[in-house]
Amino acid sequence: MIWNWFMNDGLTEKVKKILTIVLLLLSGILYTPAQEFKRDIELNTFVPKGQWIVGSSVSYSEHTEKNYQFLVLDGFNSDGYTFKVSPMLLYAFKDNLALGGRFTYGRTLFKMDGVTITLDEDNDFDIDNLYTLKHSYSGMAVLRNYINLGSSQRFGLYNDAQLQMGGSQSKMVSGSGESITGTYATSTDLKIGVAPGMVAFINNYTAVEVSVGVLGFNFSKTRQTTDQVYIGERTMNSANFRINIFSIALGIAFYL
């Protein structure tokens, strides 16, 4: 009917030709079947069903400053250390899929004997006898999906979906004698995150793993008591979708 209307409605020959070409193009677009395309990507078994993955990451660092100077800091004297251990246990309940958990414990100690902060000639103040100690602990449920790189059985990618719950205890003491003051704090933390990574096998049973967090939802609630009198609380919620260089983890795993 539309075609007859175009041809019998007194339109000029030039307009009729243009409309005819447009209709032919539209009919070709609408009725041309979609072309089948195959990428030939093969998903091979990288970690077989029934395999246990046992691993751990350990980190330790310490620092010492004696009469250190930096910008507004003068006569900075301090020392301390940070220790963290994180064992992991996973089980492959299906090819390239593993489920398990990770436990993390950390301890941080910082002692400062004295520092002078100079803002200008008329504004400077001293901080002496500062001592802080913090223990942190957490348990994490992990669902891991492995992806092979072509036909390689040595290198592969993985992605961890993580649900973490934990907490911490810390104390901070400053001053001396009658002017001493202290704060005790406890926190409860909940995290949901995604951490992609890469695994490289050294031999048939030992592999090096590196991962970095890119997506996370964090909830934290802290309660503190100062001088056993003053009580304060803080709640913090955050979400991010970016590469967090401070969450890079390197460890060794054994595939049994």
Side-chain angles (χ1 to χ4, degrees):
M1 181 181 293
I2 297 177
W3 180 265
N4 293 333
W5 181 82
F6 283 150
M7 295 301 168
N8 300 323
D9 199 51
L11 296 177
T12 63
E13 291 297 328
K14 187 175 182 180
V15 174
K16 289 180 180 180
K17 290 181 180 180
I18 295 175
L19 292 177
T20 302
I21 294 173
V22 172
L23 287 175
L24 291 175
L25 291 175
L26 289 176
S27 63
I29 295 175
L30 293 175
Y31 295 102
T32 300
Q35 183 180 4
E36 185 178 358
F37 182 78
K38 294 183 179 180
R39 298 184 183 274
D40 295 328
I41 297 177
E42 298 182 3
L43 295 179
N44 299 322
T45 299
F46 190 74
V47 175
K49 177 182 177 180
Q51 197 160 51
W52 289 91
I53 302 106
V54 181
S56 179
S57 61
V58 180
S59 63
Y60 176 80
S61 64
E62 62 180 14
H63 63 90
T64 301
E65 293 82 21
K66 292 184 178 180
N67 199 28
Y68 182 70
Q69 296 182 354
F70 179 73
L71 297 178
V72 297
L73 302 179
D74 188 18
F76 188 38
N77 299 287
S78 70
D79 61 275
Y81 65 85
T82 299
F83 169 75
K84 184 178 181 181
V85 59
S86 181
M88 175 188 69
L89 177 63
L90 301 174
Y91 175 74
F93 64 93
K94 189 178 179 181
D95 289 348
N96 295 336
L97 280 176
L99 181 66
R102 180 188 291 272
F103 177 78
T104 303
Y105 172 76
R107 176 185 172 97
T108 301
L109 174 66
F110 176 77
K111 294 188 294 183
M112 185 172 64
D113 295 330
V115 62
T116 300
I117 301 178
T118 304
L119 301 178
D120 51 45
E121 294 181 356
D122 300 324
N123 294 285
D124 62 78
F125 54 93
D126 299 328
I127 300 177
D128 297 317
N129 301 320
L130 179 65
Y131 172 91
T132 63
L133 177 64
K134 181 179 180 180
H135 300 270
S136 60
Y137 45 87
S138 64
M140 178 189 298
V142 179
L143 176 62
R144 175 174 293 189
N145 179 31
Y146 288 91
I147 303 174
N148 60 285
L149 291 177
S151 59
S152 174
Q153 294 297 316
R154 183 178 295 271
F155 299 98
L157 304 176
Y158 68 86
N159 183 66
D160 283 349
Q162 304 171 343
L163 174 61
Q164 177 178 334
M165 296 185 65
S168 66
Q169 297 177 347
S170 64
K171 63 178 180 180
M172 182 179 66
V173 180
S174 61
S176 60
E178 296 181 355
S179 61
I180 190 171
T181 180
T183 300
Y184 175 77
T186 60
S187 70
T188 302
D189 306 305
L190 174 64
K191 297 181 181 180
I192 301 174
V194 174
M198 183 174 184
V199 56
F201 277 88
I202 302 174
N203 54 41
N204 290 333
Y205 305 102
T206 308
V208 177
E209 298 180 349
V210 59
S211 65
V212 58
V214 296
L215 173 64
F217 300 92
N218 307 319
F219 170 80
S220 177
K221 184 176 182 180
T222 303
R223 177 183 175 88
Q224 65 179 27
T225 304
T226 302
D227 298 335
Q228 298 184 352
V229 176
Y230 306 102
I231 298 176
E233 292 186 351
R234 182 185 66 177
T235 300
M236 182 177 65
N237 302 313
S238 64
N240 64 78
F241 186 73
R242 66 182 185 275
I243 296 177
N244 184 2
I245 61 174
F246 297 103
S247 68
I248 296 177
L250 177 65
I252 295 179
F254 300 95
Y255 289 72
L256 308 176

